[in-house]
Amino acid sequence: MIKVEGVAKRYEGQARAALVQADIDIGKGEFVFLVGPSGSGKSTLLRLLTKQEEPDRGRIFVAGKDIGQMSSWKVPMLRRNIGNIFQDFKLLQTKTVAENVAFALEVIGRKRSVIASQVPQICSLVGLEDKMDKYPDQLSGGEQQRVSIARAFVNRPLIMLADEPTGNLDPQTSIGIMRLLDRINKTGTTVVMATHDRGIVDTMRKRVIELSHGNIVRDQHRGVYE
Amino acid sequence: MALRIDYLTKETTRNFLRNPALTIGNVLTVAISLTLLGIALTVFWGTANLKAEAESEVSFVVWLKTEDNGVVLTDPELEQITQDLRAKMEANPFIKDLNYVDRDKTLSEVQRYFKDAPEIIALISPDVVPTSFVVTPSKPDISIVNQVKDSLSGAPGIDRISVATDVIKEETRIASYISWISGGFAVVAAFAATLLMYNSIRTAVFARRKEIEVMRLVGATKWFVRIPFMFEGLLQGVLGAVASGVSIFLVNFFINEMFTSIPKFSTFILNFGQETLIVIAMLLIGSLLGASAAGVAVSKYLDA
């Protein structure tokens, strides 16, 4: 599903490379944790997968397509197959829960009838069926992250990329979010999650890829944080 | 792109009403900028009217003799001179129009001019009142006027030729200066309007850069993101243009009030058709500038 071959990336004006050498192969339906200290290259790797950044060298394949060769007008199609979840949720504050979720369907031109049927379904899946008319600032952090997950999953993407999704949440809420991601993964969606949360990684015992100074230093199935 | 009309309407309305202070600020900026441009165009057009009027008034008077060597010319003699001169001038390709002013017309003109001085009128004998031709040249050009004047000089029966060359030159020169200044001001005002609109819309776009980022991440195409912003810019441009249109009509109303009583400047006043054309131009410029400024402003955030 995701193949990264010899990828390197250095940001302009930075002395040290964000990614020195990355080679990863992630299969369909896998759940992968990216771990490592801040600045190790986890977020850069996720940004490269959605073509928010371009690598300095190397090739990246998503769903069998070399995204480096992809013309810019095809990038939106790539992103429709990838759901994104962020530590700061990135919800639109002027839209309700239902509107935030519907937004992901509107931008790809889904019919109103389709949106009307899918949005309640997905809100129910994430446990927010009673809060569809609330605005983000009326929700707790955990609820906001559920909205973010609903928005990322409503298109039934092939891949979910989560950048520290529990970083702003308390342990109990984090468990709820992880259960949700696990359920999504069980539908066949590949999940790649960058995290610092040792407890979650150690409890779930999924594949762990560890980065350090832009290099992959460990790739372990049913791994732990360290 | 798959941008639905109901989505576009909903987003534009919501964005338009979301930050009323910013929206009103943008609309006022557009209105003020376009009003400046509209006033400059009004002055430019009014001055062009004045210039055209001044040029159309370029004519001169050929006065005929009333006596020859101290002997008063008889009516048949005067008739012959008049016919000869008319034939000569009608054959001149640089003369467009001839208007003969006989003694009665001249006398009535003198009486009208000196209506407050009957003692002067009493001194004028109808026999000595000269007749004349008012000559309009083929082009309202001073060199043509001089050329025609030279070709008539020395012709029998002509007493003198009166040409207000200096006055005409001065009028057209001043009108040209005002045209150039107001035209230049219009260009500067258009440039300022563009910059002001771009800057205010860029501020609005900057406030929504996070929203743009999210749109791009969920797979929106660049045009899907761009069009609602452009539509909003267009709407702001149109509203600003409508407000500027009202201002321009008011400015013209005051110009009308000021200049109606001064015959010399009455042609400076634009007619309703000309005012309407300026307002239509403001609407087109406002909507075009609004949409394109928003399109350019949002492009900066579409690279990711």
Side-chain angles (χ1 to χ4, degrees):
Chain A
M1 184 57 64
I2 298 170
K3 198 169 187 182
V4 177
E5 290 180 350
V7 166
K9 172 73 183 173
R10 184 197 299 271
Y11 292 105
E12 210 175 293
Q14 298 290 315
R16 204 167 57 82
L19 274 180
V20 178
Q21 173 76 23
D23 294 278
I24 303 169
D25 198 343
I26 299 171
K28 186 176 185 306
E30 273 199 85
F31 196 120
V32 179
F33 285 117
L34 294 179
V35 301
S38 296
S40 59
K42 305 186 295 295
S43 296
T44 297
L45 185 57
L46 295 181
R47 290 175 66 81
L48 286 165
L49 294 178
T50 50
K51 233 171 142 52
Q52 292 177 78
E53 301 291 345
E54 295 291 337
D56 297 335
R57 65 174 164 80
R59 295 198 299 172
I60 300 171
F61 295 87
V62 174
K65 292 199 174 75
D66 183 349
I67 65 171
Q69 301 297 317
M70 195 175 270
S71 50
S72 63
W73 66 270
K74 281 185 177 171
V75 173
M77 313 306 149
L78 166 76
R79 290 178 179 166
R80 288 171 196 179
N81 285 315
I82 302 174
N84 281 283
I85 309 165
F86 306 93
Q87 183 174 359
D88 59 354
F89 322 128
K90 290 198 193 301
L91 296 178
L92 302 174
Q93 299 298 318
T94 54
K95 292 184 191 290
T96 63
V97 167
E99 287 170 341
N100 263 286
V101 177
F103 189 62
L105 294 169
E106 280 170 335
V107 300
I108 61 171
R110 286 278 185 271
K111 286 182 184 170
R112 231 179 330 180
S113 57
V114 174
I115 295 172
S117 72
Q118 289 197 1
V119 170
Q121 268 181 37
I122 202 81
C123 285
S124 174
L125 179 78
V126 299
L128 290 174
E129 62 272 29
D130 299 332
K131 303 207 168 172
M132 285 172 54
D133 295 328
K134 300 280 183 201
Y135 284 89
D137 59 6
Q138 297 173 308
L139 303 175
S140 68
E143 287 169 334
Q144 288 189 58
Q145 193 59 288
R146 285 171 184 273
V147 181
S148 173
I149 291 170
R151 184 183 64 193
F153 189 59
V154 72
N155 285 334
R156 311 280 186 225
L158 299 170
I159 300 164
M160 285 271 263
L161 302 179
D163 195 356
E164 313 253 9
T166 58
N168 281 345
L169 306 177
D170 61 70
Q172 197 57 41
T173 309
S174 298
I175 290 168
I177 293 298
M178 291 316 298
R179 281 193 183 133
L180 194 51
L181 286 178
D182 196 37
R183 276 178 69 190
I184 286 170
N185 176 238
K186 285 190 167 61
T187 65
T189 301
T190 306
V191 178
V192 181
M193 174 175 155
T195 185
H196 286 292
D197 197 323
R198 177 189 300 270
I200 285 172
V201 178
D202 290 349
T203 306
M204 291 185 72
R205 300 301 299 265
K206 302 285 188 185
R207 180 177 171 191
V208 176
I209 295 174
E210 184 179 350
L211 287 112
S212 178
H213 300 300
N215 290 293
I216 293 169
V217 294
R218 179 166 60 107
D219 188 347
Q220 184 181 17
H221 285 271
R222 294 187 57 76
V224 291
Y225 194 83
E226 257 178 353
Chain B
M1 182 167 56
L3 183 63
R4 293 197 327 262
I5 296 294
D6 61 329
Y7 171 79
L8 180 65
T9 313
K10 189 179 73 179
E11 284 301 298
T12 306
T13 311
R14 186 203 294 260
N15 292 337
F16 204 75
L17 300 175
R18 185 159 65 186
N19 191 341
L22 195 60
T23 302
I24 291 169
N26 281 350
V27 170
L28 283 178
T29 304
V30 176
I32 291 165
S33 310
L34 290 181
T35 301
L36 288 174
L37 177 62
I39 290 171
L41 285 176
T42 302
V43 173
F44 182 77
W45 204 340
T47 314
N49 285 350
L50 271 183
K51 196 177 164 190
E53 178 71 11
E55 286 178 346
S56 71
E57 282 174 355
V58 172
S59 58
F60 57 92
V61 183
V62 177
W63 296 99
L64 305 189
K65 286 180 177 172
T66 55
E67 56 179 42
D68 193 16
N69 292 324
V71 180
V72 175
L73 291 169
T74 61
D75 282 351
E77 285 171 332
L78 198 59
E79 180 68 21
Q80 187 58 48
I81 286 170
T82 305
Q83 279 179 14
D84 290 350
L85 263 178
R86 181 188 288 278
K88 184 178 172 65
M89 287 193 280
E90 280 176 348
N92 190 326
F94 295 113
I95 293 176
K96 187 172 79 179
D97 193 33
L98 273 181
N99 186 18
Y100 180 64
V101 183
D102 61 18
R103 277 183 172 145
D104 291 342
K105 279 188 200 164
T106 310
L107 194 58
S108 65
E109 186 68 13
V110 170
Q111 283 168 342
R112 189 179 66 80
Y113 195 75
F114 290 107
K115 65 181 178 192
D116 297 327
E119 68 280 6
I120 293 177
I121 295 172
L123 289 173
I124 298 169
S125 161
D127 295 343
V128 296
V129 171
T131 58
S132 62
F133 281 102
V134 177
V135 182
T136 307
S138 58
K139 282 184 187 171
D141 187 315
I142 298 301
S143 64
I144 300 273
V145 172
N146 285 332
Q147 204 174 331
V148 175
K149 185 185 163 191
D150 291 346
S151 73
L152 293 174
S153 293
I158 292 179
D159 183 31
R160 65 185 191 283
I161 298 173
S162 307
V163 184
T165 314
D166 292 343
V167 175
I168 294 162
K169 269 186 180 172
E170 190 63 13
E171 278 183 0
T172 50
R173 192 176 63 86
I174 291 170
S176 290
Y177 278 149
I178 296 173
S179 285
W180 276 109
I181 291 167
S182 56
F185 186 68
V187 171
V188 172
F191 184 64
T194 311
L195 281 185
L196 282 171
M197 281 181 72
Y198 170 72
N199 205 37
S200 55
I201 290 173
R202 201 179 61 162
T203 308
V205 170
F206 180 79
R208 284 157 54 191
R209 64 196 183 284
K210 185 180 163 189
E211 187 178 336
I212 295 170
E213 184 193 354
V214 173
M215 287 170 103
R216 293 288 287 151
L217 277 173
V218 295
T221 60
K222 288 184 181 182
W223 279 105
F224 186 93
V225 179
R226 198 180 273 134
I227 284 179
F229 280 97
M230 290 179 74
F231 211 71
E232 193 184 336
L234 185 143
L235 202 58
Q236 288 177 358
V238 168
L239 283 179
V242 168
S244 81
V246 173
S247 310
I248 289 163
F249 272 115
L250 281 175
V251 166
N252 272 291
F253 174 77
F254 287 119
I255 289 176
N256 204 329
E257 289 289 299
M258 266 166 38
F259 288 156
T260 305
S261 56
I262 312 169
K264 188 88 184 158
F265 289 104
S266 61
T267 47
F268 184 83
I269 301 162
L270 301 194
N271 60 40
F272 183 74
Q274 290 172 324
E275 287 177 29
T276 309
L277 269 181
I278 288 183
V279 172
I280 290 171
M282 293 302 105
L283 277 170
L284 287 175
I285 292 170
S287 49
L288 194 70
L289 283 185
S292 52
V296 172
V298 79
S299 291
K300 191 185 167 191
Y301 299 98
L302 290 177
D303 293 335

